[in-house]
């Protein structure tokens, strides 16, 4: 387990990173990548949407272009305070402080569940993916963005020491173990020199 997969370490890390997160994050996850990921989802007129690990609200901002009933959850109050500055505490988005592996929502309540830049901090990613499936409606969609596993062996050692990085084969294993039957992976990259992101779009079974 990487050092940032410990939740207390991750909270401390984001206490300081939140001050510059929006500027730094765009080197790894930018507007174009977000728009591309959103294009892989289908939005209905009255869809209820959840952003798990919403952080400062970068993904939330994109979701608001497609839905009006948007909810955001994060464990870091420092990250969420930045989101409050953008959207208000209770105005455009309903915010919750909570844990991705124990979501504070009933079963089958969201049409779309989005999570970008969060899974790499989950100590038990399969349990987290099960939670995303649990709160999504049968036939609903789940989109998860995480860091693709590097090919360079030196970078692999660094990645393993920090947090969860995974390739398509590991993504297959995790999503299957979490009960998904239909999903596809996409590799995204901000620039040729940027780290790769692996974006999985899954359909919740049971419709």
């Amino acid at each position: 387990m990487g050092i940032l997969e410990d939740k207390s370490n991750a909270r401390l890390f984001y206490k300081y990173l939140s001050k510059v997160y929006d500027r730094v994050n765009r080197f790894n996850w930018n507007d174009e990548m977000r728009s591309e990921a959103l294009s892989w989802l289908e939005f209905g007129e009255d869809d209820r949407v959840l952003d798990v690990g919403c952080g400062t609200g970068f993904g939330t901002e994109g979701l608001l272009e497609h839905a009006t009933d948007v909810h955001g959850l994060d464990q870091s109050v420092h990250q969420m305070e930045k989101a409050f500055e953008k959207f208000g505490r209770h105005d455009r988005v309903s915010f919750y402080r909570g844990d991705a592996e124990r979501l504070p929502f009933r079963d089958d309540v969201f049409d779309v569940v989005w999570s970008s830049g969060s899974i790499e901090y989950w100590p038990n990613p399969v349990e987290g993916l099960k939670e995303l499936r649990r709160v999504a409606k049968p036939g609903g969609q789940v989109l998860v963005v995480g860091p693709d596993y590097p090919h360079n062996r030196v970078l692999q050692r660094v990645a393993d020491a920090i947090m969860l990085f995974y390739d398509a084969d590991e993504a297959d294993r995790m999503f299957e173990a979490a009960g998904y039957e239909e999903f596809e992976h996409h590799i995204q990259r901000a620039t040729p020199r940027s780290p790769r992101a692996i974006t999985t779009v899954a359909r919740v079974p049971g419709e």
Side-chain angles (χ1 to χ4, degrees), residues 102-109 129-137 180 204:
R102 293 187 296 274
L103 294 174
F105 307 107
R106 293 181 291 106
D107 296 357
D108 307 338
V109 291
L129 292 174
K130 287 180 180 178
E131 278 290 274
L132 304 192
R133 179 172 62 82
R134 179 184 67 78
V135 301
K137 296 177 181 178
Y180 297 88
V204 177

Side-chain angles (χ1 to χ4, degrees), residues 15-205:
K15 177 179 179 180
Y16 298 101
L17 185 63
S18 62
K19 303 177 189 303
V20 296
Y21 181 83
D22 283 343
R23 294 196 299 273
V24 172
N25 188 51
R26 293 177 189 262
F27 293 103
N28 300 323
W29 178 241
N30 60 24
D31 293 39
E32 291 76 16
M33 295 167 73
R34 181 185 63 188
S35 294
E36 183 179 39
L38 286 163
S39 75
W40 296 324
L41 295 171
E42 302 164 5
F43 291 92
E45 185 176 348
D46 299 315
D47 278 357
R48 192 178 192 204
V49 177
L50 174 64
D51 185 359
V52 175
C54 63
T56 64
F58 182 70
T60 316
E61 189 175 14
L63 292 167
L64 283 167
E65 297 173 2
H66 299 268
T68 57
D69 189 2
V70 177
H71 303 254
L73 175 140
D74 203 277
Q75 70 158 345
S76 169
V77 67
H78 300 94
Q79 289 282 81
M80 292 176 70
E81 284 173 351
K82 297 296 183 182
F84 298 157
E85 293 174 8
K86 297 176 184 177
F87 311 114
R89 286 177 181 265
H90 308 290
D91 297 341
R92 300 178 65 197
V93 180
S94 298
F95 286 105
Y96 312 82
R97 188 178 182 192
D99 189 331
E101 294 170 4
R102 293 187 296 274
L103 294 174
F105 307 107
R106 293 181 291 106
D107 296 357
D108 307 338
V109 291
F110 294 101
D111 299 278
V112 174
V113 180
W114 166 288
S115 184
S116 54
S118 180
I119 189 174
E120 56 264 39
Y121 302 105
W122 302 351
N124 300 294
V126 170
E127 293 306 309
L129 292 174
K130 287 180 180 178
E131 278 290 274
L132 304 192
R133 179 172 62 82
R134 179 184 67 78
V135 301
K137 296 177 181 178
Q141 301 161 94
V142 170
L143 183 145
V144 176
V145 184
D148 188 44
Y149 199 59
H151 298 305
N152 181 286
R153 289 190 176 183
V154 173
L155 292 179
Q156 288 174 355
R157 294 193 189 97
V158 174
D160 291 340
I162 298 174
M163 57 190 181
L164 175 68
F165 286 71
Y166 58 95
D167 58 14
D169 288 341
E170 179 63 8
D172 284 346
R173 185 197 69 78
M174 292 191 298
F175 275 81
E176 288 171 0
Y180 297 88
E181 300 170 0
E182 180 184 345
F183 50 83
E184 59 184 17
H185 312 302
H186 306 266
I187 298 299
Q188 296 183 277
R189 204 171 197 179
T191 72
R193 294 188 176 183
S194 299
R196 295 185 306 274
I198 180 167
T199 300
T200 302
V201 183
R203 183 73 64 175
V204 177

